[in-house]
Short mmCIF file of all heavy atoms in Angstrom, two decimals:
data_model
loop_
_atom_site.label_atom_id
_atom_site.label_comp_id
_atom_site.label_asym_id
_atom_site.label_seq_id
_atom_site.Cartn_x
_atom_site.Cartn_y
_atom_site.Cartn_z
N ARG A 119 -22.38 35.29 -21.03
CA ARG A 119 -22.16 34.56 -22.26
C ARG A 119 -20.76 34.72 -22.79
O ARG A 119 -20.14 33.77 -23.19
CB ARG A 119 -23.23 35.13 -23.30
CG ARG A 119 -23.55 34.11 -24.35
CD ARG A 119 -24.41 34.75 -25.41
NE ARG A 119 -25.63 35.30 -24.86
CZ ARG A 119 -26.12 36.51 -25.23
NH1 ARG A 119 -25.55 37.18 -26.18
NH2 ARG A 119 -27.22 36.96 -24.65
N ASN A 153 -43.74 20.24 -35.06
CA ASN A 153 -44.28 21.07 -36.13
C ASN A 153 -43.27 21.31 -37.25
O ASN A 153 -42.32 22.10 -37.00
CB ASN A 153 -44.81 22.34 -35.53
CG ASN A 153 -45.59 23.19 -36.53
OD1 ASN A 153 -45.43 23.05 -37.75
ND2 ASN A 153 -46.49 24.06 -36.00
N ARG A 168 -37.41 26.30 -22.39
CA ARG A 168 -38.34 25.52 -21.50
C ARG A 168 -37.53 24.81 -20.43
O ARG A 168 -38.07 24.50 -19.38
CB ARG A 168 -39.19 24.56 -22.32
CG ARG A 168 -40.23 25.18 -23.24
CD ARG A 168 -41.19 26.15 -22.64
NE ARG A 168 -40.69 27.52 -22.71
CZ ARG A 168 -40.66 28.28 -23.80
NH1 ARG A 168 -41.10 27.85 -24.95
NH2 ARG A 168 -40.15 29.55 -23.75
N ASP A 171 -37.43 27.37 -17.73
CA ASP A 171 -38.64 28.20 -17.60
C ASP A 171 -38.83 28.75 -16.23
O ASP A 171 -38.96 28.01 -15.27
CB ASP A 171 -39.83 27.34 -18.02
CG ASP A 171 -41.07 28.13 -18.35
OD1 ASP A 171 -41.20 29.25 -17.78
OD2 ASP A 171 -41.88 27.69 -19.15
N LEU A 179 -42.70 28.37 -5.70
CA LEU A 179 -42.84 29.32 -4.62
C LEU A 179 -44.28 29.59 -4.24
O LEU A 179 -44.62 29.86 -3.09
CB LEU A 179 -42.20 30.66 -5.07
CG LEU A 179 -40.68 30.76 -5.03
CD1 LEU A 179 -40.24 32.14 -5.59
CD2 LEU A 179 -40.17 30.69 -3.56
N HIS A 194 -46.27 19.38 -20.66
CA HIS A 194 -47.41 19.57 -21.54
C HIS A 194 -47.39 20.96 -22.20
O HIS A 194 -47.58 21.06 -23.46
CB HIS A 194 -48.71 19.47 -20.65
CG HIS A 194 -49.95 19.64 -21.43
ND1 HIS A 194 -50.69 18.56 -21.94
CD2 HIS A 194 -50.59 20.75 -21.88
CE1 HIS A 194 -51.76 19.02 -22.63
NE2 HIS A 194 -51.69 20.37 -22.59
N PHE A 197 -44.84 21.14 -25.22
CA PHE A 197 -45.15 20.43 -26.44
C PHE A 197 -46.54 20.80 -26.98
O PHE A 197 -46.78 20.92 -28.20
CB PHE A 197 -45.01 18.94 -26.35
CG PHE A 197 -43.54 18.52 -26.15
CD1 PHE A 197 -43.08 18.08 -24.93
CD2 PHE A 197 -42.63 18.65 -27.27
CE1 PHE A 197 -41.68 17.71 -24.79
CE2 PHE A 197 -41.32 18.31 -27.12
CZ PHE A 197 -40.89 17.84 -25.89
N GLU A 198 -47.49 21.00 -26.10
CA GLU A 198 -48.89 21.27 -26.55
C GLU A 198 -49.30 22.71 -26.46
O GLU A 198 -50.30 23.11 -26.97
CB GLU A 198 -49.89 20.42 -25.69
CG GLU A 198 -49.43 19.12 -25.19
CD GLU A 198 -49.59 17.99 -26.24
OE1 GLU A 198 -50.19 18.19 -27.23
OE2 GLU A 198 -49.13 16.87 -25.87
N LEU A 200 -50.60 26.34 -24.66
CA LEU A 200 -51.62 26.73 -23.69
C LEU A 200 -53.02 26.48 -24.17
O LEU A 200 -53.98 26.44 -23.41
CB LEU A 200 -51.47 28.21 -23.31
CG LEU A 200 -50.14 28.65 -22.66
CD1 LEU A 200 -50.16 30.15 -22.37
CD2 LEU A 200 -49.85 27.86 -21.37
N GLN A 201 -53.15 26.33 -25.50
CA GLN A 201 -54.53 26.24 -26.03
C GLN A 201 -55.21 24.91 -25.69
O GLN A 201 -54.61 23.94 -25.32
CB GLN A 201 -54.45 26.45 -27.54
CG GLN A 201 -53.86 25.26 -28.28
CD GLN A 201 -54.20 25.33 -29.77
OE1 GLN A 201 -54.62 26.34 -30.28
NE2 GLN A 201 -53.99 24.22 -30.45
N ARG B 119 -36.58 40.63 -6.63
CA ARG B 119 -38.02 40.44 -6.30
C ARG B 119 -38.27 41.09 -4.92
O ARG B 119 -39.26 41.80 -4.81
CB ARG B 119 -38.29 38.89 -6.24
CG ARG B 119 -39.74 38.63 -6.47
CD ARG B 119 -40.06 37.13 -6.27
NE ARG B 119 -39.19 36.34 -7.06
CZ ARG B 119 -38.62 35.19 -6.63
NH1 ARG B 119 -38.86 34.76 -5.41
NH2 ARG B 119 -37.80 34.49 -7.37
N ASN B 153 -56.63 25.48 -22.56
CA ASN B 153 -56.80 24.20 -21.99
C ASN B 153 -57.37 24.24 -20.58
O ASN B 153 -56.68 24.63 -19.65
CB ASN B 153 -55.45 23.50 -22.01
CG ASN B 153 -55.54 22.01 -21.68
OD1 ASN B 153 -56.53 21.61 -21.01
ND2 ASN B 153 -54.54 21.28 -22.14
N ARG B 168 -43.57 33.56 -21.23
CA ARG B 168 -43.46 33.75 -22.67
C ARG B 168 -43.29 35.23 -23.04
O ARG B 168 -42.73 35.55 -24.10
CB ARG B 168 -44.69 33.23 -23.38
CG ARG B 168 -44.87 31.64 -23.40
CD ARG B 168 -43.76 30.85 -23.85
NE ARG B 168 -42.80 30.48 -22.75
CZ ARG B 168 -43.03 29.57 -21.77
NH1 ARG B 168 -44.10 28.95 -21.74
NH2 ARG B 168 -42.17 29.41 -20.86
N ASP B 171 -39.51 35.44 -22.96
CA ASP B 171 -38.82 34.25 -23.38
C ASP B 171 -37.40 34.55 -23.93
O ASP B 171 -37.26 35.31 -24.88
CB ASP B 171 -39.71 33.60 -24.51
CG ASP B 171 -39.29 32.19 -24.81
OD1 ASP B 171 -38.09 31.85 -24.62
OD2 ASP B 171 -40.15 31.44 -25.25
N LEU B 179 -30.21 37.39 -32.05
CA LEU B 179 -28.79 37.38 -32.21
C LEU B 179 -28.23 36.39 -33.24
O LEU B 179 -27.26 36.66 -33.93
CB LEU B 179 -28.12 36.98 -30.84
CG LEU B 179 -28.03 38.01 -29.74
CD1 LEU B 179 -27.53 37.37 -28.43
CD2 LEU B 179 -27.10 39.15 -30.13
N PHE B 197 -48.97 29.38 -27.74
CA PHE B 197 -50.38 28.84 -27.68
C PHE B 197 -50.44 27.37 -28.19
O PHE B 197 -51.19 26.59 -27.68
CB PHE B 197 -51.36 29.73 -28.38
CG PHE B 197 -51.57 31.03 -27.67
CD1 PHE B 197 -51.06 32.23 -28.18
CD2 PHE B 197 -52.25 31.09 -26.44
CE1 PHE B 197 -51.24 33.42 -27.43
CE2 PHE B 197 -52.46 32.25 -25.75
CZ PHE B 197 -51.97 33.45 -26.25
N GLU B 198 -49.66 27.10 -29.20
CA GLU B 198 -49.78 25.73 -29.85
C GLU B 198 -48.68 24.78 -29.42
O GLU B 198 -48.76 23.58 -29.69
CB GLU B 198 -49.72 25.85 -31.39
CG GLU B 198 -50.34 27.10 -32.01
CD GLU B 198 -51.80 27.03 -32.18
OE1 GLU B 198 -52.35 25.91 -32.02
OE2 GLU B 198 -52.42 28.05 -32.49
N LEU B 200 -44.80 23.07 -29.35
CA LEU B 200 -43.84 22.67 -30.36
C LEU B 200 -44.27 21.54 -31.24
O LEU B 200 -43.74 21.29 -32.29
CB LEU B 200 -42.48 22.23 -29.68
CG LEU B 200 -41.75 23.24 -28.84
CD1 LEU B 200 -40.48 22.68 -28.26
CD2 LEU B 200 -41.39 24.53 -29.64
N GLN B 201 -45.33 20.84 -30.80
CA GLN B 201 -45.75 19.64 -31.52
C GLN B 201 -46.43 19.95 -32.85
O GLN B 201 -46.82 21.08 -33.13
CB GLN B 201 -46.63 18.81 -30.65
CG GLN B 201 -48.04 19.41 -30.49
CD GLN B 201 -49.02 18.40 -29.96
OE1 GLN B 201 -48.65 17.27 -29.48
NE2 GLN B 201 -50.30 18.70 -30.05
#
Side-chain angles (χ1 to χ4, degrees):
Chain A
R119 205 186 305 139
N153 189 337
R168 293 306 90 74
D171 195 331
L179 282 175
H194 182 96
F197 291 108
E198 328 276 352
L200 299 179
Q201 73 163 11
Chain B
R119 206 185 306 140
N153 190 337
R168 292 308 88 74
D171 194 332
L179 282 173
F197 291 107
E198 329 275 350
L200 298 180
Q201 72 163 13

